[in-house]
Amino acid sequence: MRAYFSRRYRLSASHRLHTDTFSEEQNRDIYGKCNNPYGHGHNYTIEVTVGGQVGAETGMVCDLVELDTCVQKNVIERFDHMNLNLDPLFQHQVPTTENLCMEIYELLADFNKAELVRVRIEETSNNSFEYPVSKR
Amino acid sequence: MRAYFSRRYRLSASHRLHTDTFSEEQNRDIYGKCNNPYGHGHNYTIEVTVGGQVGAETGMVCDLVELDTCVQKNVIERFDHMNLNLDPLFQHQVPTTENLCMEIYELLADFNKAELVRVRIEETSNNSFEYPVSKR
Amino acid sequence: MRAYFSRRYRLSASHRLHTDTFSEEQNRDIYGKCNNPYGHGHNYTIEVTVGGQVGAETGMVCDLVELDTCVQKNVIERFDHMNLNLDPLFQHQVPTTENLCMEIYELLADFNKAELVRVRIEETSNNSFEYPVSKR
Amino acid sequence: MRAYFSRRYRLSASHRLHTDTFSEEQNRDIYGKCNNPYGHGHNYTIEVTVGGQVGAETGMVCDLVELDTCVQKNVIERFDHMNLNLDPLFQHQVPTTENLCMEIYELLADFNKAELVRVRIEETSNNSFEYPVSKR
Amino acid sequence: MRAYFSRRYRLSASHRLHTDTFSEEQNRDIYGKCNNPYGHGHNYTIEVTVGGQVGAETGMVCDLVELDTCVQKNVIERFDHMNLNLDPLFQHQVPTTENLCMEIYELLADFNKAELVRVRIEETSNNSFEYPVSKR
Amino acid sequence: MRAYFSRRYRLSASHRLHTDTFSEEQNRDIYGKCNNPYGHGHNYTIEVTVGGQVGAETGMVCDLVELDTCVQKNVIERFDHMNLNLDPLFQHQVPTTENLCMEIYELLADFNKAELVRVRIEETSNNSFEYPVSKR
């Protein structure tokens, strides 16, 4: 009797897409207006999905408070109202939402109350990203 | 040529998370304010996904009216505007949304016009649950 | 230079629509399934709108934290995860969303950092209520 | 390090569900009011999901502009503000959303900057369709 | 103690924006792709707002069932799954959403259980229309 | 026969709330985490409402393309994917969303195809701002 539980968290941050690997012109070509030198920002919605056995007595996949505590400490406090480019994780890679998604997955990897199944980020109402598995 | 069809239904109900297996204090620890003695409520959105061959002539996975009739009779009439704790299904298990999700899946298991793939419940705009888990 | 600021809060509660003023049959006629004897519930979204001069130096209508503190103390702590019928405010009136909307407006009336303009409640994705009515 | 990227596109179109294979009465039975002789319409939201290796240097699954260009040329220009029944693709099959979903998948099959994983269409806020089905 | 109650209804219809008053070229200039000869469609969300005294005993602005019955009979049955251009109301005026909004307001004008305050139509997630305008 | 037309535009930008008028400590007190030195960002939804006579022949309040052109040129090109603090308009005032709302209203004031009624900004799914008049 395994089920999934997904919970959404929200954070606001700024970023600029730019890598020293490429020339100025290549950066503009690849990232378009996201390469604007002064940065821009997003309200990111982070959906964390965990899976596991539904406890026979608790009726729950995992304790909501434990998941919240883990995400708050490892993700929200680190990125909310921050400039992603200044985080050590993005010193050597571009803070695209794909990379943010993978890094958040790694930051939550120690959660051991249920299996971490997927991190999904809605960057805008039109664009979303998932790692490591697709929604289905 | 198989495809999925998902349809959303809405119901409002109240519940209280509490189990006699645990002491009063354990109940408060585990369920927090959801253990409040007088109950509280939710607008649940129930998304039912069915899959199947797209009919060569009808162009449909299944007849929408047949799915609606099945969900209306087995789920909406049973739980809408009700107190979940009073339902026989929740006499011996806690009416968490995980358990509600699994019970709704069972209540729809007889639907035979298409394969029942998944029941997903949005409990609030932040929390959702799915059953069963897909093999990955 | 006056502007409006609206902020949304969420709470889950249960209620039953029933009044001793009417007979059992009248109650069923008027409230339909909302008169179900065991209650049901909703996720209510409470949107509070305040208006005022935008501070020349702060650039704000009012301090968000002060509004949050007021709503949390007077509204969320009182109603979230509760049965509205058991609140003293609903001992002598039915806990319809119209009445809840007016009572929340009164509970916030002491807020003095900006003018309280309107309370709007989304009971479900289809039904919303506002109080007071604007002068037209 | 594979991830998924989903992007939503919107188009408005009209259609009528009717097939010469069935009698007038069968058509009305099967399609209900969707068989109304003069057609009706929808705002379709088309979510296209692609998957692939996240580029070590670009940090992206694929170039957004290339995906947009492909969808614009093959899907939006073809169907937006059109009557689906008049499209050659629907001369010999009913323009149900299941069939539209499968045809859009085929129209995007040549996209070669990332793997085309799934096309999902929201026909209304209650009904959505996906193709192809995942292996389970 | 007056309050507002707003309720949302949904209908799908097709239309073509075109008027014989203008030349073919003027029609294309003014209506753009909405002038496409074969029509297109929308899921319209119709939000009806009524206002009135909150009943001291009922706690309600008006009976939901009576409002639903009125909207169902006068609006939904008339326009849902129809081609707006074929309705007698649009024989001599263009079926723009502005005009649809005003016509729906007129069609509901006989509702006498509460004051009809406003009809608002969401044509797409980006465009909405309201009638009548409030005095400011 | 006057009606309102509202259209939503989206832009992403970063900002930092800070004013030299206050001490470092006062800035932190007033703006909280929005005073974070490196800035953060939002997806802003800008809803522009215009009002006017519905044209007897066109059936429209105003030409959508003309409104789009005006907003694109004066607002989107100026602020999208930018750091608001670097804009000349925010050299001497804090880029709060209240101030952004008022500045966008001024930037659109020359639009003369319909009356500019209101600018409303959704900063996050919980916070919105309006200038100059309330929604009702």
Side-chain angles (χ1 to χ4, degrees):
Chain A
M1 288 309 219
R2 290 169 57 84
Y4 291 123
F5 169 44
S6 296
R7 187 153 163 87
R8 310 176 101 201
Y9 302 89
R10 290 173 175 82
L11 61 86
S12 298
S14 63
H15 71 163
R16 182 203 179 188
L17 301 187
H18 183 92
T19 171
D20 293 341
T21 314
F22 301 135
S23 69
E24 290 294 314
E25 198 184 333
Q26 284 174 313
N27 270 291
R28 276 195 301 273
D29 267 14
I30 292 169
Y31 299 118
K33 61 187 175 180
C34 295
N35 182 241
N36 176 294
Y38 304 110
H40 60 281
H42 295 296
N43 306 325
Y44 296 94
T45 298
I46 317 290
E47 189 182 66
V48 177
T49 299
V50 297
Q53 194 69 20
V54 177
E57 288 175 349
T58 62
M60 299 192 298
V61 165
C62 83
D63 186 324
L64 178 90
V65 174
E66 292 185 287
L67 182 59
D68 281 4
T69 304
C70 176
V71 174
Q72 181 67 29
K73 202 186 82 191
N74 293 290
V75 177
I76 308 296
E77 287 179 11
R78 179 169 197 145
F79 296 125
D80 190 26
H81 283 73
M82 296 291 177
N83 178 331
L84 300 179
N85 296 64
L86 299 175
D87 190 285
L89 285 169
F90 297 111
Q91 291 317 293
H92 301 294
Q93 61 178 339
V94 194
T96 56
T97 306
E98 284 94 331
N99 281 338
L100 180 62
C101 202
M102 295 192 294
E103 293 297 348
I104 288 178
Y105 184 88
E106 295 305 324
L107 290 168
L108 297 175
D110 288 343
F111 185 69
N112 57 12
K113 305 299 180 180
E115 180 200 353
L116 179 61
V117 172
R118 182 179 63 232
V119 172
R120 181 174 166 270
I121 303 185
E122 296 169 27
E123 180 191 81
T124 67
S125 53
N126 287 336
N127 292 351
S128 63
F129 300 86
E130 288 179 34
Y131 177 80
V133 297
S134 168
K135 182 143 196 189
R136 204 182 279 283
Chain B
M1 288 309 222
R2 288 169 59 83
Y4 289 122
F5 168 45
S6 295
R7 186 153 163 87
R8 310 176 100 202
Y9 302 88
R10 290 173 174 82
L11 61 84
S12 299
S14 64
H15 71 163
R16 181 202 178 189
L17 301 187
H18 182 93
T19 169
D20 293 341
T21 314
F22 301 134
S23 69
E24 289 294 314
E25 198 184 332
Q26 284 173 313
N27 270 290
R28 275 195 301 273
D29 268 14
I30 292 169
Y31 299 117
K33 61 188 176 182
C34 295
N35 181 242
N36 176 295
Y38 305 110
H40 61 280
H42 294 296
N43 307 325
Y44 296 94
T45 298
I46 317 290
E47 189 182 67
V48 177
T49 300
V50 297
Q53 195 67 22
V54 177
E57 288 176 348
T58 63
M60 298 192 297
V61 165
C62 82
D63 184 325
L64 178 90
V65 174
E66 292 185 286
L67 181 59
D68 281 3
T69 304
C70 176
V71 174
Q72 181 66 30
K73 202 185 84 189
N74 293 291
V75 177
I76 308 296
E77 286 178 12
R78 180 168 196 146
F79 297 124
D80 190 28
H81 283 73
M82 296 293 176
N83 177 333
L84 300 179
N85 296 64
L86 300 175
D87 190 285
L89 285 169
F90 297 111
Q91 291 317 293
H92 302 295
Q93 62 178 340
V94 196
T96 56
T97 306
E98 285 94 331
N99 281 337
L100 181 61
C101 202
M102 295 192 295
E103 292 296 350
I104 288 178
Y105 184 89
E106 295 305 325
L107 289 168
L108 297 177
D110 288 344
F111 184 70
N112 58 12
K113 304 298 179 181
E115 180 200 353
L116 179 61
V117 171
R118 185 180 62 233
V119 172
R120 181 174 166 271
I121 303 186
E122 296 169 26
E123 181 192 80
T124 67
S125 53
N126 288 334
N127 293 351
S128 62
F129 300 86
E130 286 180 38
Y131 178 81
V133 305
S134 59
K135 295 178 205 74
R136 284 164 194 291
Chain C
M1 288 308 221
R2 287 171 60 81
Y4 291 94
F5 169 43
S6 296
R7 188 152 163 87
R8 310 176 101 199
Y9 302 89
R10 290 174 175 81
L11 61 85
S12 297
S14 64
H15 72 162
R16 182 203 180 188
L17 301 187
H18 182 91
T19 172
D20 294 341
T21 314
F22 302 134
S23 70
E24 289 295 314
E25 198 184 333
Q26 285 173 311
N27 269 291
R28 276 195 301 274
D29 267 14
I30 292 169
Y31 299 118
K33 62 187 174 179
C34 295
N35 182 241
N36 175 295
Y38 305 110
H40 61 282
H42 295 295
N43 305 326
Y44 296 94
T45 298
I46 317 290
E47 188 182 66
V48 177
T49 300
V50 297
Q53 196 68 20
V54 177
E57 288 175 349
T58 62
M60 299 192 298
V61 166
C62 82
D63 185 325
L64 178 90
V65 174
E66 292 185 285
L67 182 59
D68 281 4
T69 305
C70 176
V71 174
Q72 182 67 29
K73 201 186 85 190
N74 293 290
V75 176
I76 308 296
E77 286 179 11
R78 180 170 196 144
F79 296 124
D80 190 28
H81 282 72
M82 297 292 176
N83 178 332
L84 299 180
N85 296 65
L86 299 175
D87 189 284
L89 285 169
F90 297 112
Q91 291 317 294
H92 302 294
Q93 62 177 340
V94 194
T96 55
T97 305
E98 284 94 330
N99 280 338
L100 180 62
C101 202
M102 294 193 295
E103 292 297 350
I104 288 177
Y105 184 88
E106 295 305 325
L107 289 168
L108 297 176
D110 288 343
F111 184 69
N112 57 11
K113 304 298 180 180
E115 181 199 352
L116 180 61
V117 171
R118 184 178 62 232
V119 172
R120 182 172 165 273
I121 302 185
E122 295 170 27
E123 181 191 81
T124 67
S125 53
N126 288 335
N127 292 351
S128 63
F129 300 85
E130 286 179 37
Y131 177 81
V133 302
S134 60
K135 297 174 204 76
R136 281 160 177 283
Chain D
M1 288 308 221
R2 286 172 58 83
Y4 292 93
F5 168 44
S6 295
R7 188 153 163 87
R8 310 176 101 199
Y9 302 88
R10 291 173 174 82
L11 61 84
S12 299
S14 64
H15 70 164
R16 182 204 179 186
L17 301 187
H18 183 91
T19 170
D20 294 341
T21 314
F22 301 134
S23 70
E24 290 294 314
E25 199 184 333
Q26 285 173 312
N27 270 290
R28 274 194 303 273
D29 268 14
I30 292 169
Y31 299 116
K33 61 187 174 182
C34 296
N35 182 242
N36 176 295
Y38 305 110
H40 60 282
H42 295 296
N43 307 325
Y44 296 94
T45 298
I46 317 290
E47 189 182 66
V48 177
T49 299
V50 297
Q53 196 68 20
V54 177
E57 289 175 348
T58 63
M60 299 192 298
V61 165
C62 81
D63 185 325
L64 179 90
V65 174
E66 292 185 287
L67 181 60
D68 281 3
T69 304
C70 176
V71 174
Q72 182 66 30
K73 201 185 83 189
N74 292 291
V75 177
I76 309 295
E77 286 179 11
R78 179 169 197 144
F79 296 125
D80 190 28
H81 283 74
M82 297 291 177
N83 178 332
L84 300 179
N85 296 65
L86 300 175
D87 189 285
L89 285 169
F90 297 111
Q91 290 318 294
H92 301 295
Q93 62 178 340
V94 194
T96 56
T97 307
E98 285 94 331
N99 281 339
L100 180 61
C101 202
M102 294 193 294
E103 293 297 349
I104 287 178
Y105 184 89
E106 296 305 325
L107 289 168
L108 296 176
D110 288 342
F111 184 70
N112 58 10
K113 305 297 180 180
E115 180 200 354
L116 179 63
V117 171
R118 184 179 63 232
V119 171
R120 183 174 165 269
I121 303 186
E122 296 170 27
E123 180 192 80
T124 68
S125 53
N126 288 335
N127 293 350
S128 62
F129 300 85
E130 287 179 38
Y131 178 82
V133 303
S134 60
K135 297 174 203 76
R136 280 159 179 283
Chain E
M1 288 310 221
R2 289 169 59 83
Y4 289 122
F5 169 44
S6 295
R7 188 154 163 87
R8 309 175 103 201
Y9 302 88
R10 290 173 174 81
L11 61 84
S12 299
S14 64
H15 71 164
R16 182 205 179 186
L17 302 188
H18 182 92
T19 171
D20 294 342
T21 314
F22 301 134
S23 70
E24 289 294 314
E25 198 184 333
Q26 284 174 312
N27 270 290
R28 276 194 301 274
D29 268 13
I30 293 169
Y31 299 118
K33 62 188 175 180
C34 295
N35 181 241
N36 174 295
Y38 304 110
H40 61 281
H42 295 295
N43 306 326
Y44 296 93
T45 298
I46 317 289
E47 188 182 67
V48 177
T49 299
V50 297
Q53 195 68 22
V54 177
E57 289 175 349
T58 62
M60 298 193 299
V61 165
C62 82
D63 185 325
L64 180 89
V65 174
E66 293 185 287
L67 182 60
D68 280 4
T69 305
C70 176
V71 174
Q72 182 67 30
K73 203 186 82 189
N74 292 290
V75 177
I76 308 296
E77 287 179 11
R78 179 168 196 145
F79 297 124
D80 190 28
H81 283 73
M82 297 292 176
N83 178 333
L84 300 180
N85 295 65
L86 299 175
D87 190 284
L89 285 169
F90 297 111
Q91 290 318 293
H92 301 294
Q93 61 178 340
V94 194
T96 56
T97 306
E98 286 94 329
N99 280 338
L100 179 62
C101 202
M102 294 192 295
E103 293 296 350
I104 287 177
Y105 184 88
E106 295 306 325
L107 289 168
L108 297 175
D110 287 344
F111 185 69
N112 57 11
K113 304 298 180 180
E115 179 199 353
L116 179 62
V117 171
R118 185 179 62 233
V119 172
R120 182 173 166 271
I121 303 185
E122 295 170 27
E123 181 192 81
T124 68
S125 54
N126 288 334
N127 293 351
S128 63
F129 300 86
E130 286 178 38
Y131 178 81
V133 303
S134 60
K135 295 178 204 76
R136 287 166 190 288
Chain F
M1 288 311 221
R2 287 169 60 82
Y4 290 124
F5 168 45
S6 296
R7 187 153 164 87
R8 310 176 101 202
Y9 302 89
R10 290 172 175 83
L11 61 86
S12 298
S14 64
H15 72 162
R16 182 204 177 187
L17 301 188
H18 183 91
T19 170
D20 294 341
T21 314
F22 301 134
S23 70
E24 290 294 314
E25 198 185 334
Q26 285 173 312
N27 269 290
R28 276 194 301 274
D29 268 14
I30 292 169
Y31 300 117
K33 62 188 176 182
C34 295
N35 182 241
N36 175 296
Y38 304 110
H40 61 280
H42 295 295
N43 307 325
Y44 296 94
T45 298
I46 317 289
E47 188 183 66
V48 177
T49 300
V50 296
Q53 196 67 22
V54 177
E57 289 175 348
T58 63
M60 299 192 297
V61 166
C62 82
D63 186 325
L64 180 89
V65 174
E66 292 185 286
L67 182 59
D68 281 4
T69 304
C70 176
V71 175
Q72 182 66 30
K73 201 186 84 189
N74 292 291
V75 176
I76 307 297
E77 287 180 10
R78 178 169 197 146
F79 297 124
D80 190 27
H81 283 72
M82 297 290 176
N83 178 332
L84 300 180
N85 295 66
L86 299 175
D87 190 285
L89 284 169
F90 296 111
Q91 291 318 293
H92 302 294
Q93 62 178 341
V94 195
T96 56
T97 306
E98 286 94 330
N99 281 338
L100 180 61
C101 203
M102 294 193 295
E103 293 297 349
I104 288 177
Y105 184 88
E106 295 305 324
L107 289 169
L108 297 176
D110 288 343
F111 185 69
N112 58 11
K113 304 298 180 181
E115 180 198 353
L116 179 62
V117 171
R118 183 179 64 233
V119 172
R120 181 174 165 272
I121 303 186
E122 295 170 27
E123 181 192 79
T124 68
S125 54
N126 287 335
N127 292 351
S128 62
F129 300 87
E130 288 179 33
Y131 178 80
V133 296
S134 168
K135 184 143 194 190
R136 207 182 278 284

